[in-house]
Amino acid sequence: RSILRQSRATVGSGVGFAVGWKAANRPNTRRYAVPDAPSEETLAALSHEDREFPPDPAFAAQANGTKELFAEADADRDAFWAQQARDRITWSKDFEQVLDWSEAPFAKWFVGGELNAAYNCLDRHVEAGNGDRVALHFIGEPDGDTKDFTYAEALDQVKRAANVLTDLGVEKGDRVAIYLPMIPEAVFAMLACARIGAPHSVVFGGFSADALRSRIADAEAKVVITADGGYRRGKPSALKPAVDEAVSGGTSVNKVLVVRRTGQDTAWNDDLDLWWHEALEAASAEHEAVPVDSEHPLFLLYTSGTTGKPKGILHTTGGYLTQAAYTNSVVHDVHPETDVYWCTADVGWVTGHTYIVYGPMANGATQVLYEGTPDTPHQGRWWEIVQDKKVSVLYTAPTAIRTFMKWGKETPAKYDLSSLRVLGSVGEPINPEAWVWYREIIGGGKTPIVDTWWQTETGAIMVSALPGVTTLKPGSAQAAIPGISVDVVDEQGNSVENGKGGYLIIDKPWPSMLRGIWGDPERFKETYWSRYPGVYFAGDGAKRDEQGNIWVLGRVDDVMNVSGHRLSTTEIESALVSHPKVAEAAVVGATDATTGQAVVGFVILRGDAAAEAEQDGDALVANLRNHVAKEIGPIAKPRQIMVVSELPKTRSGKIMRRLLRDVAENREVGDVSTLADSSVMDLIKTGMSDSG
Ligand code: 6R9
């Protein structure tokens, strides 16, 4: 029987992964208690991770983050943030009050202050004599298609674009939708909006015309900035047709500004469409940034919630920019004079907003902006970029790291990665095995790894190690950064003891917090502030280990309840991925008549294991089920494990467990429109019926 499908191009064939490396590179061995009948307490302590990596003194000596920051913030939180705001940001008018929480949960930070985000990201660096510093090393997907922009050149583009928007009738407070590939114009467009006080709403270029239309409508955007297309997997891929469809039949949009990226044939509407390059060329290069109130809206960013309608998360200027700059400095440890920083996110996600545009650019950093996919034209593309540009700080997602693990360590080994000195992770829990692989294979066994927990809603990093300060624990996001206060609480809202699990909450307002959901204050209060009064409910399950480190266990809706025991999907996924034959795993709780829910696992095997499974799938599956039982406890032993060649993921790389639950419960698979590749579900179902 064939339970395996040929891996597709997106995943690669997966070079065999040397089984021996794990033991060899593991400083400490893990001990898992395997109780006969695990209680809630033992369960919470089960995936105990003993490996520890203390800070390297040489790194600590140069680190931006210090132990003292914690003490300062604890002594006087408001004074701490006021100092961050004044030290890191240039205000055209100083603020009078740090925080106004009198209308909670609607916060005002740095009250009475005025500033401009684009001025902070560009002009002031040029004024300080750093105009010749490279802001962006743009690397297009086609080989050799690169272009550098200095801060002075970026400023010129942004000033011109600001003039163009003003000429098109965009006024302070008007919304502008941005629908672009990962090209420098995406950054320039965002900063041009900020420069005139027009909040942007970036819609990820992979979203459909429908998604774009509903986001344009909700924000009542006046202008859309797009491109003819972008390069994807070696081919031009059109973008403009989706915009044409989204603005057809009368919308709030009265102009579409089009960047010429690919030069492909593009339908044109003379009433609406305008070429970006023509408009910028004709525009004046003089422009004064407009100072705005600290609480002036900077952007909207739509994110999916539990209901169908996406939420327009609102961020404002002063607090957001302060925390963006601060975290990029103390968490990524970016030293703008010497580092080359690379955040691999798309600007369509919050990570791209905060850690490509606002944080690093407020700090005056030099960064890489890469348009393409990790395997175009070959699986070493990222490492080639790291080598060529001497990237020193890399920020990416666990899903990428696990993909590289699957492709094999031989690929990164072909490149000189010695410039790397800090590695970051964001987006989902990083399994300890992936963490250790990242440090050993990419970080040469020396780089600190910062696993950063935050959300679109939080605007910037909230929970993370500080490199050079924190003793690192693979798999744990560790602790709230200085100035931030989080807790893990039980159903009643009481703080849990070390060793126990509960819900992640934020119990003090923070500068980059969302200021609301666009047009829906009730939903804002209901979604985030009603579960525990006065406290922000993040929607993530979490656990505190014996030392008080925070382990984020995934969305609360990913938490399973098996025979009354709360089990985390992430914990079991980590156990599966720790098996040498497993490359990637997703776990869901399927309704079960006896146990309430039962654990169902989906695994992608590493290359050579796949061949073995073709021979004897049953033995391998039995082996994996026992492995989980051994690692976590018999209660966690999956009822079923399905071997698949793909997992359904959103475009931001999050596994859509809802769809896998449909499969596990033999239901018609639900809405797949937010999948990066909607054919994946067909692939999984075909594989399943073969094995069925
Ligand atoms: C920045 C971003 C937010 C959700 C969040 C959580 C998950 C993000 C994580 C993490 C464990 C981490 N998440 N970082 N889980 N460890 N380091 O991803 O924002 O797209 O809004 O997603 O992502 O579940 O609640 P967003």
Side-chain angles (χ1 to χ4, degrees):
R1 67 190 209 162
S2 163
I3 53 171
L4 289 161
R5 293 269 145 249
Q6 198 54 46
S7 277
R8 292 150 44 85
T10 48
V11 163
S13 58
V15 194
F17 198 72
V19 175
W21 78 274
K22 265 200 326 187
N25 289 299
R26 184 181 284 183
N28 298 309
T29 39
R30 262 180 311 174
R31 288 182 300 276
Y32 288 113
V34 186
D36 293 325
S39 65
E40 186 75 312
E41 288 95 293
T42 44
L43 270 176
L46 279 176
S47 68
H48 195 64
E49 171 64 56
D50 282 341
R51 287 171 285 188
E52 279 191 349
F53 300 88
D56 166 25
F59 188 99
Q62 62 78 60
N64 292 331
T66 58
K67 250 197 341 261
E68 288 69 41
L69 287 174
F70 287 97
E72 283 168 32
D74 286 346
D76 186 341
R77 185 177 306 273
D78 282 10
F80 172 82
W81 282 117
Q83 188 178 349
Q84 297 306 325
R86 292 198 176 103
D87 285 357
R88 298 179 186 281
I89 301 302
T90 304
W91 300 78
S92 44
K93 179 166 170 277
D94 193 19
F95 48 89
E96 289 135 28
Q97 188 188 354
V98 180
L99 167 68
D100 177 358
W101 191 230
S102 61
E103 284 166 61
F106 297 93
K108 293 196 186 82
W109 278 88
F110 310 125
V111 184
E114 287 182 7
L115 74 165
N116 183 283
Y119 174 84
N120 273 276
C121 291
L122 297 166
D123 305 58
R124 64 170 177 160
H125 305 316
V126 177
E127 289 168 13
N130 294 322
D132 291 340
R133 184 184 295 165
V134 172
L136 302 175
H137 287 298
F138 171 63
I139 301 171
E141 194 187 81
D143 226 350
D145 176 20
T146 64
K147 186 165 162 52
D148 287 351
F149 289 87
T150 64
Y151 271 94
E153 287 165 341
L155 176 59
D156 174 74
Q157 292 293 293
V158 170
K159 283 182 171 180
R160 288 171 185 272
N163 282 322
V164 169
L165 290 173
T166 304
D167 292 347
L168 295 180
V170 179
E171 291 173 11
K172 185 173 164 184
D174 288 343
R175 276 80 58 206
V176 173
I178 298 176
Y179 186 68
L180 282 170
M182 278 289 285
I183 56 178
E185 287 80 0
V187 178
F188 303 153
M190 290 163 75
L191 290 173
C193 290
R195 200 169 179 84
I196 60 171
H200 52 72
S201 164
V202 181
V203 180
F204 174 57
F207 275 138
S208 66
D210 267 357
L212 178 60
R213 177 189 276 278
S214 66
R215 284 158 176 77
I216 287 172
D218 189 73
E220 295 170 280
K222 255 193 175 173
V223 166
V224 181
I225 306 178
T226 188
D228 50 358
Y231 289 95
R232 203 78 190 149
R233 302 198 178 284
K235 291 192 297 270
S237 157
L239 263 188
K240 174 107 180 343
V243 178
D244 294 343
E245 198 183 324
V247 302
S248 65
T251 62
S252 53
V253 173
N254 50 43
K255 280 292 169 204
V256 177
L257 205 47
V258 187
V259 176
R260 196 165 64 195
R261 167 67 183 135
T262 58
Q264 65 200 117
D265 281 345
T266 300
W268 205 255
N269 175 346
D270 285 324
D271 296 335
L272 218 51
D273 301 338
L274 211 71
W275 283 113
W276 164 280
H277 64 277
E278 288 180 2
L280 259 70
E281 248 164 57
S284 161
E286 299 302 318
H287 188 274
E288 284 287 312
V290 182
V292 298
D293 188 88
S294 179
E295 282 300 333
H296 186 72
L298 180 60
F299 65 85
L300 300 179
L301 186 57
Y302 286 83
T303 181
S304 46
T306 41
T307 66
K309 189 174 180 269
K311 303 174 279 198
I313 302 299
L314 171 65
H315 283 287
T316 61
T317 310
Y320 172 81
L321 200 62
T322 298
Q323 198 173 326
Y326 160 71
T327 47
N328 180 243
S329 174
V330 302
V331 178
H332 298 118
D333 195 46
V334 167
H335 293 62
E337 309 77 26
T338 47
D339 275 316
V340 177
Y341 164 87
W342 182 17
C343 165
T344 66
D346 191 285
V347 287
W349 309 116
V350 74
T351 304
H353 281 58
T354 310
Y355 296 112
I356 292 177
V357 183
Y358 292 107
M361 295 191 77
N363 290 337
T366 295
Q367 63 181 315
V368 167
L369 187 78
Y370 174 54
E371 179 187 28
T373 55
D375 56 353
T376 307
H378 55 81
Q379 294 179 346
R381 186 75 196 265
W382 278 24
W383 315 123
E384 186 177 78
I385 293 172
V386 168
Q387 171 180 281
D388 290 355
K389 298 295 174 199
K390 301 201 168 24
V391 173
S392 51
V393 181
L394 178 70
Y395 191 37
T396 191
T399 180
I401 298 159
R402 290 192 302 260
T403 302
F404 293 125
M405 286 174 76
K406 199 160 47 189
W407 290 346
K409 63 180 172 180
E410 298 78 10
T411 303
K414 286 186 213 141
Y415 301 89
D416 176 7
L417 306 182
S418 61
S419 54
L420 289 169
R421 56 175 210 90
V422 182
L423 300 176
S425 172
V426 59
E428 39 169 348
I430 176 166
N431 327 84
E433 299 310 320
W435 193 107
V436 171
W437 190 91
Y438 195 22
R439 179 174 162 107
E440 294 297 325
I441 306 302
I442 306 304
K446 64 178 172 53
T447 53
I449 293 189
V450 288
D451 173 12
T452 62
W453 178 89
W454 59 294
Q455 308 175 299
T456 304
E457 291 88 339
T458 70
I461 293 168
M462 303 293 281
V463 178
S464 172
L466 287 197
V469 179
T470 312
T471 290
L472 305 170
K473 271 200 127 181
S476 164
Q478 306 213 271
I481 60 169
I484 298 298
S485 179
V486 305
D487 202 354
V488 181
V489 300
D490 63 18
E491 296 287 342
Q492 285 72 43
N494 301 315
S495 196
V496 303
E497 293 162 30
N498 285 356
K500 291 204 173 176
Y503 302 102
L504 188 61
I505 57 108
I506 306 167
D507 56 13
K508 300 237 166 47
W510 64 102
S512 64
M513 65 196 290
L514 76 166
R515 299 303 197 267
I517 295 176
W518 188 252
D520 203 344
E522 279 315 306
R523 190 176 179 195
F524 170 58
K525 289 194 245 178
E526 164 66 27
T527 309
Y528 305 106
W529 303 93
S530 66
R531 176 76 193 251
Y532 306 109
V535 164
Y536 175 87
F537 179 68
D540 279 315
K543 178 179 81 181
R544 244 207 296 262
D545 69 16
E546 294 302 341
Q547 291 145 299
N549 287 302
I550 293 173
W551 293 67
V552 180
L553 301 174
R555 301 297 303 175
V556 174
D557 45 15
D558 291 340
V559 174
M560 297 170 291
N561 195 318
V562 179
S563 304
H565 299 286
R566 187 180 297 156
L567 291 174
S568 146
T569 51
T570 308
E571 228 170 313
I572 301 177
E573 285 164 7
S574 285
L576 283 167
V577 174
S578 77
H579 191 284
K581 291 185 177 150
V582 175
E584 204 167 352
V587 163
V588 298
T591 310
D592 186 283
T594 26
T595 56
Q597 280 187 313
V599 179
V600 178
F602 294 80
V603 297
I604 301 179
L605 299 175
R606 291 192 176 151
D608 44 2
E612 179 192 330
E614 290 277 11
Q615 308 283 307
D616 195 353
D618 287 345
L620 182 74
V621 163
N623 189 328
L624 293 179
R625 292 178 65 227
N626 290 332
H627 176 72
V628 174
K630 186 170 127 287
E631 292 277 289
I632 302 183
I635 185 71
K637 185 171 179 169
R639 181 185 75 186
Q640 264 169 296
I641 290 181
M642 331 239 187
V643 179
V644 295
S645 60
E646 285 286 344
L647 289 171
K649 286 184 189 152
T650 63
R651 294 176 175 100
S652 61
K654 292 186 171 58
I655 295 172
M656 289 191 75
R657 295 188 180 73
R658 170 170 68 76
L659 300 178
L660 293 174
R661 216 171 294 130
D662 290 341
V663 173
E665 294 176 352
N666 293 318
R667 255 195 316 276
E668 192 63 23
V669 172
D671 181 17
V672 294
S673 64
T674 54
L675 276 182
D677 178 356
S678 55
S679 65
V680 165
M681 286 317 292
D682 297 330
L683 217 72
I684 291 174
K685 282 182 298 178
T686 321
M688 303 247 323
S689 50
D690 280 6
S691 69

